[in-house]
Amino acid sequence: MTKPIQVGLIGLGRAGNGMHRVELDMRQNMYHFAAVCDIIEERTVPFVEAYGSHAYTKIEDLLADPEVELVSIATRSCDHYKHAKMALLAGKSVFLEKPFAMSYEQALELVKLGSQPAGPHLYIRHNRRFESGFNKAMEIINSGILGDVYEIKRRVHNYQRRNDWQTISEFGGGQLLNWGPHIIDQSLRFCGGDYTEMYSNIKHVAAAGDCEDHIKIVFTGVNGRVVDMEISGGVAISDPAYSIYGSKGSLVEIGGKFHLKYLDPNVELTKITADPSTPGTGASFGNAETLPWIEEDVEFYDEENGAYVCDGTYLIWDALYETIRFGKAFPVKLDEAAKVIEVIEKVKKNTVFENKF
């Protein structure tokens, strides 16, 4: 039996203890917490008791632990670059939470350190790449049933007067660095991997702190699609998470499932031509034909396994295991992750942002 990957987890707060620990509890045949580190020593106790982990309060000590083969970094956003660089320079491969850097320059430096053939290797935690809704949407687009998809709207909406550290710029707060990496990554996939034009606007609407909580980015993809994304903590009535428009039909997310309306592919439409004549009195506007529409609902939420499968969290751990133990290519390429950071940097530079407080 293949040995579980020996993980050294840095940061045992909301993400480290509340997410990474929960996730790997379901993958104990694949992963084991060999060591943990947090500046608040009492946070290490449950890991020692449950897994026999080595406990540290200094990152340098965890990085010197010979049992650790993969360092999972779940510290604050502002520290991701620093901690990942320390681990890579210590010869440890890294699984890094988003955002994996605060600037494009930092991102490129980490990519260089973590992409050498002999290792160590850098892996970016873009788990929403594995999200069931996103992948089902891509499957439907690629099936051609909607025809030529020319516009996609992607939304993450709520109304929240948030006031934790992720609203403070000093710590890497703001939705560009929180939800931004996930939805920008998805949007770039919808765009064909890159874009030719980008419009952006960010605002501070409802949250505390000094960061943006409403983001609007519109890409024109290299594939010609318009991808319109919004992330907001200031929208009281949410738009559908996905709206997709094609030349032969549309898709909209309603209540955790997709509703599709598309032309029956088994019915050949009659050819139409534009009529230049002047319509008479009582003439209809447009074409009076009856179109062969099909409407259906498509499920994408896994009721049995719940939200962690829906948001792709468990699936990215499975992919990481396959990469480390069996040499399979990791689905999130480093240049793709770096492109996300480049977009975030451009949005910040190109937007006049006024703090409302």
Side-chain angles (χ1 to χ4, degrees):
M1 183 175 179
T2 306
K3 181 183 176 183
I5 295 168
Q6 302 300 301
V7 176
L9 177 60
I10 298 176
L12 307 179
R14 183 166 53 191
N17 187 50
M19 296 168 60
H20 290 227
R21 181 185 179 185
V22 173
E23 294 155 13
L24 295 194
D25 265 344
M26 301 291 290
R27 295 291 186 275
Q28 292 190 36
N29 62 320
M30 297 181 180
Y31 297 92
H32 174 254
F33 289 113
V36 292
C37 178
D38 198 283
I39 57 175
I40 302 174
E41 187 172 9
E42 65 188 49
R43 290 181 174 178
T44 67
V45 174
F47 289 84
V48 174
E49 293 176 346
Y51 313 107
S53 309
H54 301 162
Y56 303 104
T57 56
K58 293 182 179 180
I59 293 174
E60 293 85 351
D61 293 337
L62 181 143
L63 297 178
D65 189 326
E67 291 189 24
V68 172
E69 61 178 307
L70 175 72
V71 175
S72 187
I73 295 175
T75 51
R76 292 189 183 192
S77 298
C78 58
D79 292 324
H80 290 173
Y81 160 76
K82 176 176 68 177
H83 293 161
K85 183 176 179 179
M86 290 172 63
L88 290 167
L89 290 175
K92 303 290 189 182
S93 289
V94 172
F95 188 44
L96 184 54
E97 269 286 356
K98 55 79 190 170
F100 83 97
M102 297 290 288
S103 71
Y104 187 50
E105 181 180 5
Q106 290 179 351
L108 292 180
E109 184 180 357
L110 291 181
V111 167
K112 185 176 180 180
L113 288 172
S115 60
Q116 302 303 314
H121 300 294
L122 174 65
Y123 308 100
I124 307 303
R125 185 183 157 92
H126 281 182
N127 57 288
R128 294 279 172 176
R129 177 80 69 89
F130 301 79
E131 182 185 72
S132 55
F134 169 71
N135 282 290
K136 179 58 71 173
M138 289 291 282
E139 179 185 321
I140 292 169
I141 291 169
N142 292 335
S143 76
I145 202 167
L146 301 181
D148 179 18
V149 171
Y150 56 86
E151 183 166 340
I152 298 171
K153 295 180 180 179
R154 180 71 174 95
R155 303 288 188 258
V156 176
H157 283 168
N158 63 20
Y159 192 95
Q160 186 179 28
R161 297 175 71 241
R162 190 168 179 169
N163 65 346
D164 65 336
W165 68 262
Q166 285 190 308
T167 66
I168 304 171
S169 58
E170 177 186 354
F171 304 116
Q175 286 293 358
L176 269 172
L177 293 171
N178 184 16
W179 267 96
H182 291 313
I183 307 306
I184 292 170
D185 180 59
Q186 290 183 354
S187 296
L188 290 174
R189 307 281 69 73
F190 285 137
C191 281
D194 208 342
Y195 60 93
T196 57
E197 295 179 331
M198 181 181 72
Y199 162 83
S200 64
N201 185 272
I202 59 177
K203 300 181 186 300
H204 190 172
V205 178
D210 61 348
C211 299
E212 77 290 336
D213 62 345
H214 180 88
I215 301 162
K216 174 85 165 183
I217 306 175
V218 182
F219 299 98
T220 300
V222 293
N223 56 11
R225 287 180 190 148
V226 172
V227 179
D228 176 341
M229 58 159 281
E230 285 181 7
I231 302 166
S232 185
V235 174
I237 301 176
S238 300
D239 284 352
Y242 293 86
S243 299
I244 301 176
Y245 309 143
S247 59
K248 295 182 179 180
S250 296
L251 171 157
V252 64
E253 179 272 332
I254 301 174
K257 64 179 68 175
F258 290 143
H259 182 72
L260 281 70
K261 182 177 180 179
Y262 57 92
L263 294 170
D264 187 340
N266 297 314
V267 177
E268 186 175 351
L269 300 180
T270 59
K271 185 177 180 181
I272 58 173
T273 58
D275 184 353
S277 64
T278 301
T281 302
S284 64
F285 291 86
N287 188 349
E289 70 179 330
T290 299
L291 292 171
W293 291 114
I294 294 176
E295 294 194 52
E296 63 176 319
D297 291 330
V298 176
E299 299 278 355
F300 63 81
Y301 184 76
D302 188 323
E303 293 286 354
E304 181 179 352
N305 293 296
Y308 278 110
V309 171
C310 185
D311 68 18
T313 300
Y314 286 152
L315 299 180
I316 197 170
W317 285 109
D318 292 346
L320 182 62
Y321 183 81
E322 293 287 319
T323 296
I324 293 175
R325 284 291 181 256
F326 303 110
K328 293 186 178 181
F330 191 60
V332 181
K333 298 177 182 177
L334 289 177
D335 62 332
E336 295 170 348
K339 172 66 71 174
V340 170
I341 300 298
E342 182 185 35
V343 168
I344 291 171
E345 186 168 274
K346 286 183 177 180
V347 170
K348 287 189 172 185
K349 288 182 177 178
N350 294 343
T351 305
V352 177
F353 175 61
E354 295 183 3
N355 180 14
K356 78 177 183 68
F357 288 100

